[in-house]
Amino acid sequence: MSGIQSEPSGALLAVRNLVVQFSSTRGFLVRRHVSTVRAVDDISFELQQGEIICLVGESGCGKTTTGRAIVALERPVSGSIVFKGLELVGLGARQSHRVTRHIQMVFQDPYSSLNPRMTVGASVAEPLVIHRVGSPEDRRQRVGELLDAVGLHPESSAQLPHQFSGGQRQRIALARALALNPELLILDEPTSALDVSIQAQILNLLADLREKYSLTYLFISHDLAIVRWLGDRVVVMYLGRIMEVAPSDDLFQTPLHPYTVALLSALPVPDPTVEDQRKRIVLEGEVPSAANIPVGCRFAGRCWLWRELGSPEQCQEMEPELSCVAKDHLVACHYSGEAAVRPFGLDPSVD
Amino acid sequence: MSESGLERTTETRLLPASNHPGAGDGLLSPLLSVERLEVQFRAKHGAVRAVNGVTFQVSSGEMLGLVGESGSGKSVTSLAIMRLFPRDGSVISMGRVWFDGQDILSIPEPAMRRLRGRDMAIVFQNPMTSLNPTMRVGLQIAEILMVHEGLGRRQAFERSEALLQMVGVPAVHESLAKYAHEFSGGMQQRITIAMALALQPRLLIADEPTTALDVTIQAQVLDLIRERAAETGMAVVLITHNLGVAAGLTQRIAVMYAGLLVEVGETRSIFASPRHPYTVGLLGSLPRADYHRVKLTPIPGMPPVQVEEPKGCPFAPRCARQISVCSTETPALRSMGRQVAKPSRAVPNTCSHLVACHNPVPTEETPLMPLGSRRD
């Protein structure tokens, strides 16, 4: 590949200072610019080979946009995305085409991500056709292998998507994403349209596939329980910014950003004993509009810690940098040390 | 239903439905008593059986969780209770739904209309589809008060303002003049809750009230429901697929599968010692945020679509504990006795743990969490 840059960290994927904006216009013939929404506002993170990193946050935090920018479905305003030493931002169509076979995406809704008029076999084989891999006979065989790998009967390749349930369709989407032997899969809420019992099947499948094909996942989710189960590392986003990055267990046991603390505390746990014991931090208000991001720390207006600390001015004047506070633990908060609480309110004697 | 209908009504008024499975200890008569409810939808290839004979009770002040996956019949049950199906014969409801002594499946529509809203109210999952997009929010709430309580416009608007205040909508006065789309999802849901509570109903059915909302907003809305229920003593049927939400809010849980109740019991009892293989499977499928990577044991296969008359246990094809009788006989709900030693939440309708299974999971085999999992 041309244009190779050295990436000192040796990360599979490095996102640096990524900014993605959407501008909204009004008017039909004369377009007037109304506002600019910074969906992703200067974020940086890295993915190591073989790791599962989870992007979490509430709707509108920019997690999906980040994923889409990596697979070139959104054009960043600035920043860089380096995959195996190759800069992806601003890449020409031809080179981009060559890179995308290594990065594949699975979308949330398996009802809209599969072409209803294409047979399952044709859908799964399509990436192979586009990238001119193998003869038609090879492809047929490969489709059979792929369907088998995701737990579907190879004979289902002649059927149409409507003949399958949501869970099965998500398996088909996974088979298609795996067709080109990618190294990185971007999974955008792949189980949120599914029922719990089916979700568990898909989660186990994702864990198995990662082992089998030594894949790297960027898993985008709003479901923190899944994130804890699947993720090696977690990136918490709020209003287009990264608030906290930590290894999964660290994040869930000792979250350091007040937003993460509140998020975990709001999460219902399927255990009445825990639910009765824990103290909940209920955040007031709602996420501000991304078109009108507050000055200073963008979370300050809803921050329980800020109020507890007597509304320090610093939070409303200066945006906190994402900085390392413990091993592999990054937090963007001026008072991160003060937030440490056990989010599930557990008595240590439960161990 | 001719003359016997009247007799039956009086009879039930005097005698609480204590001889029915799932009934209370007879001290408190249940506010809502659903008996052998069946709902069928006419379809091209015969009737789709959404609900296949469901029986449960809810008392005043109690919060019952109706949990199950999509297609289990939980929402259809709530629509049948509210009688919100088209009356063109495309949906057939059978069985009895006693609300405060009247069989509401057989009362005439005008009487039902008076009950709906005043005595029983419902909150749906998607607030944007339950609010009228072309009507200002204030008038939508005031309309209820004007129709049901005969209030004048001015008074109705005053009360609407108080209601919005109660559910925590900011800038109440300005909000009355706004349209639904001008609010966020969480605020819209608060408005539908205000509408549901406008006439102080005795029964609130909340059908996935927080599913469309983010976690932090979900916590706010659940707090609101909890607080209102505690203050007014209304009964709440909380329909949810989220076992975490049910664990935090309810006193009792009823688990549905393929149109049947498979397990009913105290919330603690259901989570601490689930006895139906489906409930065990459901809990085993849940990743948990407060545990380090518990092994997930999903239920194999998929839930059935019920077109034919059910034969045997609907869960049998997916069940590891299946025995020969399972494929021929549909199990009835039967009592497993009381199992939890110390219920922490007040359970008004002291109930036993009921399971519809020929071969229930023994208590000792259902530890809350698989061994070897690490607790935070």
Side-chain angles (χ1 to χ4, degrees):
Chain A
M1 282 189 260
S2 58
I4 285 180
Q5 296 169 359
S6 65
E7 189 51 49
S9 57
L12 181 70
L13 182 87
V15 173
R16 296 237 180 285
N17 307 101
L18 184 72
V19 177
V20 184
Q21 278 183 357
F22 300 105
S23 43
S24 63
T25 51
R26 195 175 271 173
F28 171 58
L29 288 173
V30 185
R31 295 204 151 204
R32 266 188 308 125
H33 178 84
V34 178
S35 64
T36 304
V37 170
R38 286 205 151 201
V40 176
D41 191 2
D42 192 6
I43 68 165
S44 306
F45 62 92
E46 282 181 358
L47 259 123
Q48 305 301 327
Q49 179 95 42
E51 141 180 89
I52 299 182
I53 192 161
C54 294
L55 278 186
V56 299
E58 298 179 280
S59 32
C61 73
K63 54 190 193 300
T64 294
T65 310
T66 306
R68 292 174 59 89
I70 294 169
V71 290
L73 287 172
E74 305 290 352
R75 188 185 288 271
V77 173
S78 62
S80 88
I81 300 167
V82 177
F83 177 74
K84 293 184 98 176
L86 180 73
E87 175 62 59
L88 301 185
V89 175
L91 212 58
R94 199 180 231 167
Q95 273 186 311
S96 187
H97 181 77
R98 274 166 54 195
V99 178
T100 46
R101 59 179 295 178
H102 302 289
I103 309 175
Q104 292 287 313
M105 186 155 181
V106 176
F107 298 91
Q108 174 171 359
D109 183 5
Y111 293 86
S112 57
S113 66
L114 293 171
N115 187 334
R117 302 179 61 174
M118 267 166 94
T119 64
V120 167
S123 271
V124 174
E126 201 180 21
L128 301 169
V129 176
I130 290 170
H131 287 270
R132 301 203 186 95
V133 179
S135 65
E137 187 43 50
D138 294 341
R139 284 176 206 152
R140 237 188 315 274
Q141 201 190 334
R142 176 85 178 124
V143 168
E145 285 167 20
L146 287 163
L147 290 176
D148 188 55
V150 297
L152 289 174
H153 207 277
E155 276 159 30
S156 43
S157 70
Q159 289 173 290
L160 289 166
H162 76 263
Q163 293 170 284
F164 294 88
S165 67
Q168 288 171 325
R169 287 183 208 208
Q170 211 53 302
R171 288 175 193 267
I172 297 166
L174 264 171
R176 182 178 57 183
L178 293 172
L180 293 164
N181 281 320
E183 287 176 69
L184 172 63
L185 277 192
I186 316 264
L187 302 154
D188 187 5
E189 308 250 16
T191 63
S192 64
L194 309 176
D195 270 320
V196 259
S197 68
I198 308 300
Q199 168 179 286
Q201 295 173 1
I202 299 294
L203 289 176
N204 277 343
L205 175 66
L206 285 173
D208 292 346
L209 290 174
R210 176 226 200 170
E211 289 284 307
K212 196 168 164 191
Y213 299 109
S214 44
L215 293 163
T216 305
Y217 292 160
L218 177 69
F219 190 89
I220 299 163
S221 181
H222 70 281
D223 187 328
L224 291 150
I226 295 178
V227 165
R228 170 124 207 220
W229 187 83
L230 190 71
D232 298 319
R233 228 150 40 92
V234 183
V235 175
V236 181
M237 289 183 73
Y238 182 78
L239 213 55
R241 263 287 161 93
I242 293 177
M243 297 285 124
E244 186 163 4
V245 183
S248 175
D249 277 353
D250 288 356
L251 187 98
F252 282 86
Q253 280 163 12
T254 48
L256 295 176
H257 195 287
Y259 176 63
T260 316
V261 171
L263 207 57
L264 294 181
S265 141
L267 180 74
V269 169
D271 185 341
T273 323
V274 176
E275 285 290 304
D276 283 351
Q277 281 176 6
R278 62 202 282 227
K279 243 178 77 192
R280 230 178 252 295
I281 297 165
V282 175
L283 284 185
E284 282 169 38
E286 284 159 15
V287 185
S289 156
N292 196 4
I293 292 170
V295 188
C297 173
R298 51 195 71 199
F299 181 60
R302 298 176 76 200
C303 184
W304 55 274
L305 184 65
W306 181 68
R307 265 185 218 123
E308 229 167 66
L309 294 172
S311 321
E313 278 169 20
Q314 190 186 11
C315 297
Q316 288 189 306
E317 283 164 4
M318 209 167 71
E319 179 133 40
E321 291 280 316
L322 190 65
S323 51
C324 195
V325 293
K327 189 175 176 287
D328 301 326
H329 202 143
L330 292 91
V331 185
C333 176
H334 295 302
Y335 297 93
S336 60
E338 319 265 342
V341 283
R342 290 199 145 215
F344 300 107
L346 298 172
D347 181 358
S349 67
V350 182
D351 272 43
Chain B
M1 285 237 4
S2 50
E3 22 108 54
S4 63
L6 245 176
E7 271 174 40
R8 199 168 191 137
T9 315
T10 9
E11 186 189 278
T12 325
R13 271 215 184 113
L14 297 173
L15 291 170
S18 52
N19 51 338
H20 300 300
D25 53 7
L27 288 172
L28 226 133
S29 97
L31 177 70
L32 175 77
S33 175
V34 177
E35 286 173 27
R36 293 182 293 277
L37 179 71
E38 282 181 46
V39 183
Q40 298 183 1
F41 292 88
R42 288 252 173 88
K44 228 186 271 171
H45 313 284
V48 173
R49 291 156 193 277
V51 179
N52 282 319
V54 156
T55 298
F56 66 89
Q57 282 83 25
V58 190
S59 305
S60 297
E62 184 185 23
M63 209 181 288
L64 172 81
L66 205 53
V67 303
E69 297 180 283
S70 35
S72 62
K74 51 193 197 308
S75 288
V76 174
T77 302
S78 72
L79 292 176
I81 295 171
M82 295 292 292
R83 249 175 70 176
L84 286 174
F85 290 123
R87 282 177 292 153
D88 58 3
S90 58
V91 185
I92 312 158
S93 311
M94 286 171 290
R96 299 253 179 280
V97 177
W98 302 100
F99 179 78
D100 196 25
Q102 327 181 42
D103 179 6
I104 55 173
L105 288 190
S106 62
I107 59 174
E109 185 56 27
M112 187 62 210
R113 212 176 296 149
R114 278 193 296 276
L115 271 182
R116 233 185 262 132
R118 184 196 299 267
D119 292 298
M120 48 208 294
I122 188 163
V123 173
F124 295 100
Q125 174 172 347
N126 189 342
M128 203 50 220
T129 54
S130 44
L131 291 169
N132 185 337
T134 66
M135 203 169 163
R136 292 177 200 275
V137 160
L139 185 58
Q140 278 186 68
I141 308 175
E143 188 184 39
I144 305 170
L145 298 159
M146 294 191 281
V147 170
H148 278 274
E149 301 209 326
L151 292 186
R153 205 182 161 85
R154 176 117 165 249
Q155 272 180 306
F157 270 89
E158 273 166 20
R159 279 267 298 278
S160 309
E161 203 172 319
L163 281 162
L164 284 186
Q165 186 109 48
M166 177 186 81
V167 296
V169 172
V172 187
H173 197 72
E174 292 75 49
S175 293
L176 287 175
K178 284 188 183 172
Y179 290 98
H181 76 266
E182 296 177 76
F183 294 91
S184 66
M187 280 304 149
Q188 288 172 358
Q189 198 60 298
R190 283 172 193 266
I191 294 165
T192 63
I193 291 172
M195 289 171 70
L197 299 180
L199 302 166
Q200 295 170 334
R202 286 182 289 164
L203 172 70
L204 176 72
I205 299 178
D207 188 355
E208 304 268 12
T210 58
T211 308
L213 308 175
D214 275 317
V215 242
T216 60
I217 309 300
Q218 164 170 284
Q220 294 173 357
V221 170
L222 293 178
D223 268 8
L224 173 67
I225 293 175
R226 191 190 336 240
E227 178 195 301
R228 297 321 307 162
E231 197 151 302
T232 59
M234 65 180 172
V236 180
V237 177
L238 178 77
I239 295 170
T240 180
H241 72 282
N242 187 328
L243 286 159
V245 168
L249 225 58
T250 62
Q251 284 117 27
R252 276 200 306 145
I253 284 182
V255 183
M256 284 192 82
Y257 184 79
L260 286 173
L261 279 186
V262 294
E263 188 157 6
V264 186
E266 232 173 71
T267 301
R268 282 189 168 237
S269 186
I270 295 281
F271 281 94
S273 53
R275 304 295 304 276
H276 197 284
Y278 175 65
T279 316
V280 175
L282 210 53
L283 289 169
S285 303
L286 273 184
R288 288 183 56 162
D290 57 336
Y291 273 97
H292 174 78
R293 249 172 235 182
V294 181
K295 189 168 167 271
L296 294 186
T297 43
I299 309 166
M302 274 176 295
V305 178
Q306 305 265 329
V307 179
E308 283 127 50
E309 178 100 28
K311 198 169 151 247
C313 172
F315 188 61
R318 303 173 75 186
C319 184
R321 298 182 57 81
Q322 189 192 359
I323 49 177
S324 60
V325 65
C326 297
S327 53
T328 54
E329 232 174 273
T330 308
L333 274 178
R334 56 200 173 90
S335 176
M336 299 280 123
R338 262 180 85 86
Q339 285 170 330
V340 164
K342 40 164 196 171
S344 69
R345 293 177 201 161
V347 181
N349 201 355
T350 315
C351 64
S352 54
H353 192 137
L354 304 168
V355 179
C357 181
H358 293 300
N359 188 16
V361 182
T363 341
E364 61 272 17
E365 279 182 30
T366 62
L368 189 57
M369 273 291 131
L371 295 172
S373 56
R374 199 175 84 216
R375 188 69 145 127
D376 276 1

